[in-house]
Amino acid sequence: EEAMGQQQLLLLVLGIVLVGVAVVIAIEDFDIKRKQARSDGEHVKMVDLASMAQAWKARPALMGGGLSNNPADFSAFKVEVLGLKPTGTHGRIAYVDIPGAGCFKFFPSNSELRINALNETCTQGSWTKGIIIKGTRPEDISWDYR
């Protein structure tokens, strides 16, 4: 009878350990999937922002656009032309934290517009992917990863 009690106790402990291991694996899997979903959402939003920036660039200046002789000149670009309000700046460079989509930093110049995806706290220098727009055609968009 005592051996049977020890056997039941051993099975109970083994069951608790197995459930604990399963919970830990599930939590890790959930975290991996959450990070992947955030990354996928950033990609979608970056393509959306790039296409909106291209539409702004293709529109004549009289209509609030950035049309000029150089299709790669985004030096007049500001995040407000996309209907966004800067969340803050790192130096003079604006970033926008879009709830549910990510944090994005914009680098306009006379040869391109670069948009970097920052981490969840919008930390300067935390980007892992960027999209580069060098004109108004679909083939003028490229990706940069680190």
Side-chain angles (χ1 to χ4, degrees):
E1 200 172 287
E2 187 178 317
M4 190 164 180
Q6 285 180 338
Q7 187 178 19
Q8 288 174 334
L9 186 59
L10 185 61
L11 285 172
L12 180 64
V13 169
L14 181 61
I16 291 171
V17 168
L18 288 175
V19 168
V21 168
V23 167
V24 168
I25 290 171
I27 289 171
E28 288 177 5
D29 189 48
F30 178 80
D31 192 48
I32 289 168
K33 297 250 189 306
R34 182 189 64 80
K35 287 177 182 173
Q36 184 61 47
R38 176 177 165 78
S39 180
D40 291 348
E42 283 175 344
H43 271 92
V44 169
K45 190 60 180 178
M46 290 173 84
V47 169
D48 183 41
L49 293 170
S51 64
M52 290 188 327
Q54 284 183 316
W56 167 81
K57 181 63 184 160
R59 207 169 30 251
L62 284 172
M63 297 174 63
L67 187 62
S68 65
N69 292 335
N70 179 359
D73 184 1
F74 283 86
S75 57
F77 176 87
K78 295 190 177 354
V79 296
E80 291 86 353
V81 301
L82 302 182
L84 300 171
K85 186 176 178 185
T87 303
T89 59
H90 295 141
R92 292 189 347 249
I93 309 296
Y95 66 87
V96 178
D97 190 5
I98 303 171
C103 187
F104 306 96
K105 192 169 178 180
F106 297 79
F107 298 89
S109 75
N110 62 0
S111 61
E112 68 185 24
L113 171 63
R114 180 185 182 95
I115 305 169
N116 286 351
L118 304 179
N119 66 8
E120 292 180 31
T121 57
C122 300
T123 306
Q124 184 170 351
S126 65
W127 73 278
T128 56
K129 64 180 150 285
I131 193 166
I132 302 162
I133 306 112
K134 291 187 178 269
T136 57
R137 302 169 305 159
E139 56 267 21
D140 293 333
I141 295 176
S142 61
W143 289 93
D144 184 21
Y145 299 94
R146 73 170 185 180

